[in-house]
Amino acid sequence: MTRISSPTQVHVIGAGLAGSEAAWQVAECGIPVVLHEMRPLRMTEAHRTDGFAELVCSNSFRSDDAANNAVGLLHAEMRRLNSLVMRAADANQVPAGGALAVDREGFSAAVSQALNDHPLIEIDRGEIAGLPPVEWNNVIVATGPLTSTPLADAIRALTDESALAFFDAIAPIVHRETIDMSVAWFQSRYDKAGPGGTGADYINCPMTKAQYDAFVAALLAGEKTEFKEWETNTPYFDGCLPIEVMAERGHETLRHGPMKPVGLTNPHDPTIKPYAIVQLRQDNKLGTLYNMVGFQTKLKYGPQQQIFRTIPGLQKADFARLGGLHRNTFLNSPKLLDDQLRLRARPRLRFAGQMTGCEGYVESASIGLIAGLYAAANARGASLAPPPPTSALGALLSHITGGHIETIDAGSRSFQPMNINFGLFPPLASAPTKKPDGTRLRGNEKTIAKKQALSARALVDLDRWIADNLRVPRAA
Protein backbone atom coordinates (compact mmCIF):
# COMPACT_ATOMS: atom_id res chain seq x y z
CA MET A 1 0.00 0.00 0.00
CA THR A 2 1.28 3.47 -0.87
CA ARG A 3 1.18 5.70 2.18
CA ILE A 4 0.99 9.48 1.82
CA SER A 5 3.32 11.12 4.29
CA SER A 6 2.90 14.70 5.54
CA PRO A 7 6.03 16.89 5.78
CA THR A 8 5.98 16.81 9.57
CA GLN A 9 5.04 13.16 10.02
CA VAL A 10 7.63 10.79 11.48
CA HIS A 11 7.76 7.10 10.57
CA VAL A 12 9.16 4.68 13.16
CA ILE A 13 10.00 1.18 11.92
CA GLY A 14 9.93 -1.45 14.65
CA ALA A 15 7.93 -1.51 17.90
CA GLY A 16 10.46 -3.02 20.24
CA LEU A 17 11.79 -1.07 23.22
CA ALA A 18 13.60 1.55 21.14
CA GLY A 19 10.87 2.01 18.53
CA SER A 20 8.10 2.17 21.12
CA GLU A 21 10.00 4.78 23.13
CA ALA A 22 10.87 6.78 20.01
CA ALA A 23 7.26 6.86 18.79
CA TRP A 24 6.07 7.95 22.24
CA GLN A 25 8.59 10.78 22.48
CA VAL A 26 7.74 12.11 19.00
CA ALA A 27 4.00 12.03 19.69
CA GLU A 28 4.43 13.64 23.11
CA CYS A 29 6.15 16.52 21.33
CA GLY A 30 2.97 17.02 19.29
CA ILE A 31 4.22 15.44 16.05
CA PRO A 32 2.14 12.76 14.26
CA VAL A 33 3.76 9.31 14.06
CA VAL A 34 3.24 6.14 12.07
CA LEU A 35 4.63 3.16 13.99
CA HIS A 36 5.34 0.19 11.71
CA GLU A 37 5.53 -3.32 13.19
CA MET A 38 5.74 -6.48 11.09
CA ARG A 39 4.60 -8.85 13.85
CA PRO A 40 2.36 -10.90 13.81
CA LEU A 41 2.31 -10.95 10.00
CA ARG A 42 5.96 -11.91 10.14
CA MET A 43 7.57 -13.18 13.33
CA THR A 44 11.24 -13.27 14.32
CA GLU A 45 13.32 -16.13 15.68
CA ALA A 46 13.00 -14.85 19.25
CA HIS A 47 9.60 -13.14 19.58
CA ARG A 48 6.48 -15.05 20.60
CA THR A 49 3.75 -12.35 20.63
CA ASP A 50 2.57 -9.35 18.64
CA GLY A 51 2.92 -7.06 21.67
CA PHE A 52 5.02 -3.91 21.59
CA ALA A 53 8.24 -3.86 23.64
CA GLU A 54 8.19 -7.65 24.13
CA LEU A 55 11.06 -8.76 26.36
CA VAL A 56 12.66 -11.77 24.72
CA CYS A 57 15.52 -12.41 27.15
CA SER A 58 15.64 -11.48 30.84
CA ASN A 59 12.85 -9.57 32.58
CA SER A 60 15.36 -7.41 34.46
CA PHE A 61 16.20 -3.76 33.78
CA ARG A 62 19.14 -4.31 36.17
CA SER A 63 20.08 -2.02 39.05
CA ASP A 64 17.74 0.84 39.97
CA ASP A 65 20.34 2.51 42.20
CA ALA A 66 20.76 5.96 40.66
CA ALA A 67 23.51 7.01 43.05
CA ASN A 68 25.93 4.11 42.67
CA ASN A 69 25.14 2.33 39.40
CA ALA A 70 25.28 3.67 35.85
CA VAL A 71 22.19 1.81 34.64
CA GLY A 72 20.26 3.01 37.69
CA LEU A 73 21.34 6.51 36.78
CA LEU A 74 20.07 5.97 33.24
CA HIS A 75 16.72 4.89 34.73
CA ALA A 76 16.53 8.18 36.65
CA GLU A 77 17.41 10.24 33.59
CA MET A 78 14.79 8.51 31.46
CA ARG A 79 12.13 9.12 34.11
CA ARG A 80 13.01 12.83 33.96
CA LEU A 81 12.46 12.66 30.19
CA ASN A 82 8.93 11.22 30.37
CA SER A 83 9.99 7.73 29.29
CA LEU A 84 7.11 5.39 28.43
CA VAL A 85 9.35 2.35 28.94
CA MET A 86 10.27 3.40 32.47
CA ARG A 87 6.66 4.31 33.27
CA ALA A 88 5.52 0.85 32.20
CA ALA A 89 8.42 -0.81 34.04
CA ASP A 90 7.66 1.00 37.29
CA ALA A 91 3.97 0.05 37.01
CA ASN A 92 4.76 -3.63 36.44
CA GLN A 93 7.74 -4.31 38.69
CA VAL A 94 8.26 -7.56 40.55
CA PRO A 95 10.60 -8.16 43.52
CA ALA A 96 14.24 -8.55 42.43
CA GLY A 97 16.58 -7.41 45.19
CA GLY A 98 18.51 -4.35 44.05
CA ALA A 99 17.27 -4.69 40.46
CA LEU A 100 14.21 -3.36 38.64
CA ALA A 101 12.55 -6.45 37.17
CA VAL A 102 9.12 -6.52 35.53
CA ASP A 103 6.21 -8.79 34.77
CA ARG A 104 7.01 -9.11 31.07
CA GLU A 105 3.41 -9.59 29.90
CA GLY A 106 2.08 -6.70 31.98
CA PHE A 107 4.95 -4.48 30.84
CA SER A 108 4.35 -5.17 27.13
CA ALA A 109 0.60 -4.70 27.56
CA ALA A 110 1.11 -1.31 29.23
CA VAL A 111 3.40 -0.07 26.44
CA SER A 112 1.06 -1.41 23.76
CA GLN A 113 -2.00 0.25 25.28
CA ALA A 114 -0.29 3.62 25.67
CA LEU A 115 0.82 3.63 22.03
CA ASN A 116 -2.50 2.37 20.70
CA ASP A 117 -4.40 4.99 22.70
CA HIS A 118 -2.26 7.99 21.75
CA PRO A 119 -4.18 10.26 19.34
CA LEU A 120 -1.05 11.18 17.36
CA ILE A 121 0.19 7.60 16.83
CA GLU A 122 -1.02 5.46 13.93
CA ILE A 123 -0.16 1.75 14.05
CA ASP A 124 0.72 0.02 10.77
CA ARG A 125 1.06 -3.76 10.93
CA GLY A 126 3.25 -4.75 8.03
CA GLU A 127 6.86 -5.36 7.03
CA ILE A 128 8.99 -2.62 5.48
CA ALA A 129 10.78 -4.84 2.98
CA GLY A 130 13.70 -2.70 1.89
CA LEU A 131 14.43 0.99 2.24
CA PRO A 132 11.44 3.16 3.23
CA PRO A 133 9.73 5.14 0.41
CA VAL A 134 11.63 8.26 -0.61
CA GLU A 135 8.71 10.50 0.37
CA TRP A 136 9.22 9.51 4.01
CA ASN A 137 11.64 12.28 4.92
CA ASN A 138 11.89 11.65 8.67
CA VAL A 139 12.35 7.98 9.53
CA ILE A 140 13.58 6.19 12.65
CA VAL A 141 14.75 2.63 11.99
CA ALA A 142 14.48 0.71 15.25
CA THR A 143 14.19 -2.84 13.97
CA GLY A 144 16.55 -4.22 16.56
CA PRO A 145 19.03 -7.06 16.45
CA LEU A 146 16.66 -9.24 14.40
CA THR A 147 16.14 -6.87 11.48
CA SER A 148 14.40 -8.63 8.59
CA THR A 149 16.66 -9.71 5.74
CA PRO A 150 15.26 -7.40 3.01
CA LEU A 151 15.72 -4.29 5.14
CA ALA A 152 19.10 -5.40 6.47
CA ASP A 153 20.33 -6.11 2.93
CA ALA A 154 19.12 -2.70 1.75
CA ILE A 155 20.94 -0.92 4.58
CA ARG A 156 24.09 -2.93 3.94
CA ALA A 157 24.02 -2.08 0.24
CA LEU A 158 23.42 1.59 0.98
CA THR A 159 26.30 1.88 3.45
CA ASP A 160 28.73 -0.47 1.72
CA GLU A 161 29.49 -1.81 5.20
CA SER A 162 29.14 -5.36 6.42
CA ALA A 163 27.05 -5.44 9.58
CA LEU A 164 28.82 -6.73 12.67
CA ALA A 165 27.05 -9.41 14.63
CA PHE A 166 27.06 -11.41 17.87
CA PHE A 167 24.99 -14.15 19.49
CA ASP A 168 22.59 -13.38 22.31
CA ALA A 169 21.41 -16.31 24.44
CA ILE A 170 18.16 -16.64 26.42
CA ALA A 171 17.94 -18.03 29.98
CA PRO A 172 15.46 -20.77 30.97
CA ILE A 173 12.34 -20.05 33.07
CA VAL A 174 11.18 -22.48 35.80
CA HIS A 175 7.74 -22.95 37.36
CA ARG A 176 8.13 -21.82 40.98
CA GLU A 177 6.06 -24.66 42.45
CA THR A 178 8.50 -27.26 41.06
CA ILE A 179 11.50 -25.85 42.95
CA ASP A 180 12.40 -27.85 46.07
CA MET A 181 12.44 -25.26 48.86
CA SER A 182 13.68 -27.81 51.38
CA VAL A 183 16.99 -27.43 49.56
CA ALA A 184 16.74 -23.90 48.12
CA TRP A 185 15.96 -20.68 50.02
CA PHE A 186 14.93 -17.07 49.46
CA GLN A 187 17.60 -14.38 49.93
CA SER A 188 19.11 -11.44 48.06
CA ARG A 189 22.87 -11.02 48.16
CA TYR A 190 23.75 -9.22 51.38
CA ASP A 191 19.97 -9.07 52.03
CA LYS A 192 19.69 -6.05 49.75
CA ALA A 193 16.11 -4.97 49.04
CA GLY A 194 15.35 -3.50 45.63
CA PRO A 195 12.21 -1.90 44.10
CA GLY A 196 9.17 -3.71 45.46
CA GLY A 197 11.42 -6.26 47.17
CA THR A 198 12.10 -7.45 50.70
CA GLY A 199 15.77 -8.40 50.69
CA ALA A 200 14.81 -12.02 50.05
CA ASP A 201 13.93 -11.78 46.39
CA TYR A 202 15.99 -14.56 44.80
CA ILE A 203 15.71 -18.33 45.14
CA ASN A 204 19.16 -19.78 45.84
CA CYS A 205 20.29 -23.33 45.03
CA PRO A 206 23.56 -24.37 46.74
CA MET A 207 26.26 -26.64 45.35
CA THR A 208 29.13 -28.51 46.93
CA LYS A 209 32.48 -28.64 45.17
CA ALA A 210 31.76 -32.13 43.86
CA GLN A 211 28.38 -31.03 42.50
CA TYR A 212 29.92 -27.94 40.91
CA ASP A 213 32.71 -29.97 39.29
CA ALA A 214 30.20 -32.43 37.84
CA PHE A 215 27.97 -29.60 36.64
CA VAL A 216 30.80 -27.85 34.78
CA ALA A 217 31.86 -31.13 33.21
CA ALA A 218 28.30 -31.74 32.02
CA LEU A 219 28.08 -28.22 30.56
CA LEU A 220 31.25 -28.76 28.57
CA ALA A 221 30.13 -32.16 27.31
CA GLY A 222 26.49 -31.24 26.60
CA GLU A 223 25.28 -31.10 23.00
CA LYS A 224 25.04 -27.52 21.77
CA THR A 225 23.07 -25.80 19.02
CA GLU A 226 25.00 -26.02 15.78
CA PHE A 227 25.79 -22.80 13.97
CA LYS A 228 24.92 -22.19 10.37
CA GLU A 229 27.90 -21.70 8.07
CA TRP A 230 27.40 -17.92 7.92
CA GLU A 231 27.26 -17.73 11.74
CA THR A 232 30.48 -19.52 12.64
CA ASN A 233 32.67 -16.41 12.92
CA THR A 234 30.15 -14.32 14.87
CA PRO A 235 31.53 -13.17 18.27
CA TYR A 236 29.54 -13.28 21.50
CA PHE A 237 28.82 -10.14 23.53
CA ASP A 238 30.54 -10.54 26.89
CA GLY A 239 27.53 -9.16 28.80
CA CYS A 240 25.32 -12.08 27.72
CA LEU A 241 27.61 -15.08 27.31
CA PRO A 242 26.06 -18.56 27.24
CA ILE A 243 26.87 -20.33 30.48
CA GLU A 244 28.72 -23.13 28.71
CA VAL A 245 30.92 -20.57 26.92
CA MET A 246 31.81 -19.07 30.31
CA ALA A 247 32.66 -22.58 31.54
CA GLU A 248 34.97 -23.06 28.56
CA ARG A 249 36.98 -20.02 29.69
CA GLY A 250 38.05 -21.73 32.91
CA HIS A 251 36.74 -24.22 35.45
CA GLU A 252 36.23 -21.55 38.14
CA THR A 253 34.81 -18.83 35.83
CA LEU A 254 31.19 -19.49 36.81
CA ARG A 255 32.04 -19.25 40.54
CA HIS A 256 33.26 -15.73 39.89
CA GLY A 257 30.25 -14.90 37.70
CA PRO A 258 26.58 -15.89 37.96
CA MET A 259 27.29 -18.72 40.44
CA LYS A 260 29.40 -16.76 42.93
CA PRO A 261 28.64 -17.90 46.53
CA VAL A 262 29.03 -14.50 48.23
CA GLY A 263 26.60 -12.53 50.39
CA LEU A 264 24.38 -15.56 51.05
CA THR A 265 23.86 -17.98 53.94
CA ASN A 266 22.04 -21.29 53.56
CA PRO A 267 19.45 -21.44 56.39
CA HIS A 268 19.17 -25.21 55.94
CA ASP A 269 22.85 -25.60 56.82
CA PRO A 270 24.17 -22.21 58.02
CA THR A 271 27.58 -23.47 59.17
CA ILE A 272 28.54 -24.77 55.71
CA LYS A 273 29.41 -22.27 53.01
CA PRO A 274 28.24 -23.44 49.55
CA TYR A 275 30.98 -23.81 46.96
CA ALA A 276 28.71 -22.28 44.29
CA ILE A 277 25.14 -20.97 44.13
CA VAL A 278 22.57 -20.83 41.32
CA GLN A 279 20.09 -17.95 41.65
CA LEU A 280 16.59 -17.68 40.20
CA ARG A 281 14.75 -14.36 39.91
CA GLN A 282 10.99 -13.79 39.86
CA ASP A 283 9.82 -13.43 36.27
CA ASN A 284 6.13 -12.50 36.56
CA LYS A 285 3.99 -10.50 38.96
CA LEU A 286 2.18 -13.59 40.22
CA GLY A 287 5.48 -15.09 41.33
CA THR A 288 4.75 -18.36 39.54
CA LEU A 289 7.75 -18.18 37.18
CA TYR A 290 11.44 -17.75 37.99
CA ASN A 291 14.28 -17.34 35.51
CA MET A 292 17.76 -18.75 36.03
CA VAL A 293 20.01 -15.72 36.47
CA GLY A 294 22.98 -15.67 34.10
CA PHE A 295 22.03 -19.04 32.59
CA GLN A 296 21.76 -17.98 28.97
CA THR A 297 22.53 -21.08 26.96
CA LYS A 298 22.96 -22.63 23.55
CA LEU A 299 22.57 -26.18 24.83
CA LYS A 300 19.98 -28.25 23.00
CA TYR A 301 16.68 -28.74 24.84
CA GLY A 302 17.28 -32.32 25.97
CA PRO A 303 20.71 -31.65 27.53
CA GLN A 304 19.36 -28.45 29.12
CA GLN A 305 16.71 -30.31 31.09
CA GLN A 306 19.07 -33.12 32.01
CA ILE A 307 21.95 -30.89 33.15
CA PHE A 308 19.94 -28.16 34.89
CA ARG A 309 17.99 -30.80 36.86
CA THR A 310 21.27 -31.85 38.48
CA ILE A 311 21.24 -28.51 40.33
CA PRO A 312 20.17 -29.05 43.97
CA GLY A 313 16.57 -27.85 44.32
CA LEU A 314 15.85 -28.19 40.62
CA GLN A 315 15.79 -31.99 40.38
CA LYS A 316 12.06 -31.89 39.56
CA ALA A 317 12.01 -28.50 37.83
CA ASP A 318 9.33 -27.94 35.21
CA PHE A 319 10.58 -25.47 32.60
CA ALA A 320 8.09 -22.91 31.28
CA ARG A 321 10.67 -21.94 28.67
CA LEU A 322 14.02 -23.45 27.85
CA GLY A 323 17.01 -21.39 26.85
CA GLY A 324 17.74 -20.46 23.26
CA LEU A 325 20.04 -18.54 20.98
CA HIS A 326 19.56 -15.84 18.39
CA ARG A 327 21.84 -13.79 16.17
CA ASN A 328 22.11 -10.04 16.75
CA THR A 329 23.37 -7.53 14.22
CA PHE A 330 24.51 -3.96 14.70
CA LEU A 331 25.95 -1.11 12.66
CA ASN A 332 29.46 0.29 12.67
CA SER A 333 27.79 3.40 14.05
CA PRO A 334 30.77 5.73 14.60
CA LYS A 335 31.51 5.52 10.89
CA LEU A 336 27.98 5.27 9.49
CA LEU A 337 25.96 7.61 11.74
CA ASP A 338 26.27 11.32 12.52
CA ASP A 339 25.97 12.81 16.00
CA GLN A 340 22.16 12.78 15.75
CA LEU A 341 22.00 9.10 14.78
CA ARG A 342 21.30 9.86 11.10
CA LEU A 343 22.77 7.68 8.38
CA ARG A 344 25.44 9.79 6.70
CA ALA A 345 24.60 8.24 3.33
CA ARG A 346 20.85 9.02 3.75
CA PRO A 347 20.19 11.63 6.46
CA ARG A 348 16.43 11.07 6.29
CA LEU A 349 17.08 7.71 7.99
CA ARG A 350 17.83 7.80 11.70
CA PHE A 351 18.69 4.65 13.68
CA ALA A 352 17.88 3.72 17.26
CA GLY A 353 18.21 0.86 19.70
CA GLN A 354 20.41 -2.20 19.76
CA MET A 355 21.33 -2.03 16.10
CA THR A 356 23.26 1.19 16.82
CA GLY A 357 25.65 -0.66 19.11
CA CYS A 358 24.17 -0.34 22.58
CA GLU A 359 23.37 -3.42 24.65
CA GLY A 360 20.61 -3.88 27.19
CA TYR A 361 16.92 -3.11 27.46
CA VAL A 362 17.32 0.27 29.11
CA GLU A 363 20.17 1.36 26.86
CA SER A 364 18.16 0.42 23.78
CA ALA A 365 15.11 2.33 24.98
CA SER A 366 17.20 5.37 25.90
CA ILE A 367 18.64 5.63 22.40
CA GLY A 368 15.09 5.34 21.07
CA LEU A 369 14.17 8.19 23.40
CA ILE A 370 16.85 10.57 22.13
CA ALA A 371 16.23 9.53 18.51
CA GLY A 372 12.57 10.46 19.01
CA LEU A 373 13.49 13.86 20.42
CA TYR A 374 15.86 14.49 17.50
CA ALA A 375 13.20 13.48 14.97
CA ALA A 376 10.57 15.69 16.61
CA ALA A 377 12.94 18.66 16.53
CA ASN A 378 13.60 18.03 12.83
CA ALA A 379 9.85 17.89 12.15
CA ARG A 380 9.51 21.36 13.69
CA GLY A 381 12.37 22.68 11.58
CA ALA A 382 14.52 23.05 14.69
CA SER A 383 17.69 21.46 15.99
CA LEU A 384 18.34 19.85 19.36
CA ALA A 385 21.65 20.05 21.16
CA PRO A 386 22.96 16.64 22.23
CA PRO A 387 22.50 15.69 25.89
CA PRO A 388 25.57 16.47 27.99
CA PRO A 389 28.27 13.79 27.75
CA THR A 390 28.43 13.88 31.56
CA SER A 391 24.95 12.35 31.68
CA ALA A 392 24.33 8.62 31.25
CA LEU A 393 22.29 9.26 28.10
CA GLY A 394 24.95 11.54 26.67
CA ALA A 395 27.78 9.17 27.56
CA LEU A 396 26.05 6.26 25.82
CA LEU A 397 25.26 8.40 22.78
CA SER A 398 28.89 9.51 22.63
CA HIS A 399 30.01 5.88 22.60
CA ILE A 400 27.70 5.10 19.71
CA THR A 401 28.47 8.12 17.57
CA GLY A 402 32.10 8.60 18.54
CA GLY A 403 33.34 5.15 19.55
CA HIS A 404 36.35 3.40 18.08
CA ILE A 405 36.25 2.70 14.35
CA GLU A 406 39.49 0.80 13.89
CA THR A 407 42.08 -0.81 16.10
CA ILE A 408 45.24 1.09 16.86
CA ASP A 409 47.20 -0.93 14.32
CA ALA A 410 44.70 -0.11 11.53
CA GLY A 411 43.35 -3.64 11.63
CA SER A 412 39.71 -4.69 11.76
CA ARG A 413 37.04 -2.45 13.25
CA SER A 414 36.88 -2.52 17.04
CA PHE A 415 33.50 -0.87 17.71
CA GLN A 416 31.47 -3.23 19.90
CA PRO A 417 28.09 -3.14 21.68
CA MET A 418 28.27 -1.59 25.12
CA ASN A 419 26.16 -1.45 28.27
CA ILE A 420 26.11 1.88 30.06
CA ASN A 421 28.95 2.06 32.60
CA PHE A 422 30.87 4.76 34.40
CA GLY A 423 33.86 4.10 32.15
CA LEU A 424 32.00 5.95 29.37
CA PHE A 425 31.68 9.15 31.42
CA PRO A 426 34.13 12.09 31.22
CA PRO A 427 36.34 12.13 34.33
CA LEU A 428 35.58 14.41 37.25
CA ALA A 429 37.52 17.66 37.44
CA SER A 430 38.69 16.49 40.84
CA ALA A 431 37.94 13.18 42.49
CA PRO A 432 36.47 13.33 46.02
CA THR A 433 39.02 12.65 48.75
CA LYS A 434 37.07 13.27 51.97
CA LYS A 435 33.83 12.19 53.59
CA PRO A 436 31.17 14.73 54.62
CA ASP A 437 32.61 14.68 58.15
CA GLY A 438 36.02 15.69 56.81
CA THR A 439 37.78 12.38 57.35
CA ARG A 440 39.80 10.92 54.47
CA LEU A 441 38.27 8.36 52.13
CA ARG A 442 40.05 5.03 52.13
CA GLY A 443 40.04 1.93 49.90
CA ASN A 444 36.70 1.14 48.32
CA GLU A 445 35.22 4.30 49.80
CA LYS A 446 36.98 6.28 47.07
CA THR A 447 35.35 4.22 44.33
CA ILE A 448 31.90 4.63 45.87
CA ALA A 449 32.37 8.37 46.34
CA LYS A 450 33.52 8.74 42.73
CA LYS A 451 30.45 6.96 41.38
CA GLN A 452 28.17 9.06 43.53
CA ALA A 453 29.89 12.25 42.36
CA LEU A 454 29.56 11.20 38.70
CA SER A 455 25.87 10.46 39.24
CA ALA A 456 25.17 13.74 41.01
CA ARG A 457 26.95 15.69 38.25
CA ALA A 458 24.99 13.81 35.60
CA LEU A 459 21.59 14.67 37.02
CA VAL A 460 22.47 18.34 37.52
CA ASP A 461 23.76 18.62 33.95
CA LEU A 462 20.81 16.75 32.48
CA ASP A 463 18.31 18.91 34.34
CA ARG A 464 20.02 21.99 32.93
CA TRP A 465 19.90 20.53 29.42
CA ILE A 466 16.19 19.76 29.78
CA ALA A 467 15.47 23.29 30.95
CA ASP A 468 17.47 24.83 28.10
CA ASN A 469 16.34 22.58 25.24
CA LEU A 470 12.99 20.93 25.93
CA ARG A 471 10.73 23.85 26.59
CA VAL A 472 8.30 22.88 23.82
CA PRO A 473 4.99 21.96 25.51
CA ARG A 474 4.52 18.21 25.78
CA ALA A 475 1.24 16.59 24.79
CA ALA A 476 -1.24 16.16 27.62
Side-chain angles (χ1 to χ4, degrees):
M1 178 179 75
T2 301
R3 181 179 298 276
I4 299 175
S5 182
S6 70
T8 60
Q9 191 175 60
V10 175
H11 292 262
V12 178
I13 304 175
L17 287 160
S20 296
E21 185 68 57
W24 174 260
Q25 293 293 329
V26 173
E28 285 290 279
C29 288
I31 305 298
V33 184
V34 181
L35 178 58
H36 304 267
E37 173 53 55
M38 69 180 186
R39 292 176 293 120
L41 300 179
R42 179 172 178 179
M43 300 299 288
T44 72
E45 298 167 356
H47 290 86
R48 296 190 300 170
T49 76
D50 63 354
F52 299 154
E54 178 186 345
L55 305 181
V56 300
C57 190
S58 167
N59 70 324
S60 175
F61 283 40
R62 312 197 316 280
S63 174
D64 201 43
D65 184 350
N68 298 285
N69 189 286
V71 74
L73 173 60
L74 188 56
H75 291 176
E77 294 182 4
M78 292 174 68
R79 292 184 178 110
R80 280 165 155 81
L81 288 163
N82 185 36
S83 166
L84 172 62
V85 164
M86 290 308 302
R87 179 189 303 182
D90 290 337
N92 290 277
Q93 63 178 316
V94 296
L100 172 60
V102 303
D103 179 312
R104 66 180 73 225
E105 292 182 2
F107 169 78
S108 177
V111 173
S112 299
Q113 182 175 346
L115 295 174
N116 276 294
D117 291 349
H118 201 293
L120 291 178
I121 298 177
E122 174 186 350
I123 308 299
D124 176 37
R125 294 282 184 172
E127 182 182 1
I128 306 301
L131 292 179
V134 294
E135 61 268 23
W136 296 4
N137 59 15
N138 196 343
V139 181
I140 298 173
V141 181
T143 46
L146 300 175
T147 298
S148 64
T149 300
L151 180 55
D153 287 345
I155 294 168
R156 188 176 296 113
L158 185 62
T159 61
D160 195 29
E161 282 281 328
S162 296
L164 302 177
F166 60 92
F167 284 111
D168 196 7
I170 300 171
I173 294 176
V174 178
H175 288 280
R176 159 68 179 84
E177 62 185 9
T178 66
I179 301 173
D180 184 356
M181 297 305 296
S182 69
V183 176
W185 75 95
F186 278 99
Q187 188 184 5
S188 301
R189 293 192 193 281
Y190 304 105
D191 302 309
K192 184 176 181 180
T198 64
D201 303 328
Y202 291 77
I203 293 177
N204 300 277
C205 300
M207 280 187 175
T208 64
K209 184 178 187 304
Q211 290 167 334
Y212 175 81
D213 290 344
F215 177 75
V216 172
L219 282 179
L220 296 176
E223 188 177 5
K224 282 79 172 180
T225 302
E226 295 181 3
F227 296 152
K228 298 179 178 64
E229 182 179 352
W230 51 269
E231 296 176 327
T232 53
N233 293 323
T234 303
Y236 293 105
F237 172 60
D238 279 346
C240 203
L241 284 174
I243 190 166
E244 60 277 3
V245 173
M246 284 189 274
E248 290 170 358
R249 295 187 171 185
H251 187 79
E252 296 293 294
T253 300
L254 293 173
R255 290 188 64 245
H256 297 282
M259 296 176 68
K260 57 182 179 288
V262 300
L264 300 163
T265 300
N266 183 354
H268 305 301
D269 198 354
T271 63
I272 303 298
K273 183 176 178 60
Y275 190 75
I277 289 177
V278 175
Q279 288 196 309
L280 296 94
R281 179 179 57 230
Q282 185 175 334
D283 198 76
N284 66 343
K285 189 164 288 187
L286 294 174
T288 57
L289 298 176
Y290 275 71
N291 66 63
M292 300 176 67
V293 178
F295 268 60
Q296 303 89 338
T297 182
K298 63 188 183 77
L299 288 167
K300 289 190 173 181
Y301 285 174
Q304 277 190 55
Q305 296 181 74
Q306 180 181 359
I307 295 170
F308 293 156
R309 284 177 179 150
T310 67
I311 298 170
L314 300 185
Q315 292 94 333
K316 298 181 180 180
D318 182 10
F319 293 91
R321 183 189 71 185
L322 288 165
L325 186 70
H326 57 272
R327 181 179 185 271
N328 286 348
T329 58
F330 60 95
L331 298 169
N332 187 14
S333 293
K335 184 175 181 180
L336 300 179
L337 305 182
D338 68 12
D339 60 0
Q340 293 206 353
L341 300 168
R342 293 172 297 199
L343 192 66
R344 297 181 191 275
R346 293 289 189 278
R348 70 186 181 94
L349 303 180
R350 180 177 275 108
F351 287 79
Q354 275 188 265
M355 66 189 310
T356 64
C358 62
E359 176 60 24
Y361 290 150
V362 181
E363 290 88 338
S364 180
S366 73
I367 298 304
L369 187 156
I370 189 61
L373 293 179
Y374 281 145
N378 283 175
R380 296 192 303 266
S383 60
L384 176 66
T390 51
S391 66
L393 179 58
L396 186 62
L397 184 65
S398 295
H399 165 72
I400 289 169
T401 60
H404 297 295
I405 296 176
E406 295 181 340
T407 56
I408 193 169
D409 59 357
S412 60
R413 292 169 298 177
S414 60
F415 177 68
Q416 291 289 328
M418 183 69 71
N419 291 116
I420 186 63
N421 63 84
F422 284 117
L424 299 179
F425 290 62
L428 297 164
S430 59
T433 58
K434 294 184 179 180
K435 304 176 188 178
D437 62 6
T439 58
R440 184 171 294 278
L441 294 167
R442 299 184 183 279
N444 192 47
E445 293 175 339
K446 296 179 181 178
T447 300
I448 295 172
K450 179 181 176 182
K451 290 179 178 179
Q452 292 176 348
L454 287 169
S455 295
R457 181 186 68 175
L459 293 177
V460 169
D461 290 353
L462 185 76
D463 285 343
R464 185 181 300 114
W465 177 77
I466 292 172
D468 291 344
N469 294 278
L470 300 180
R471 291 172 177 162
V472 175
R474 310 284 270 182

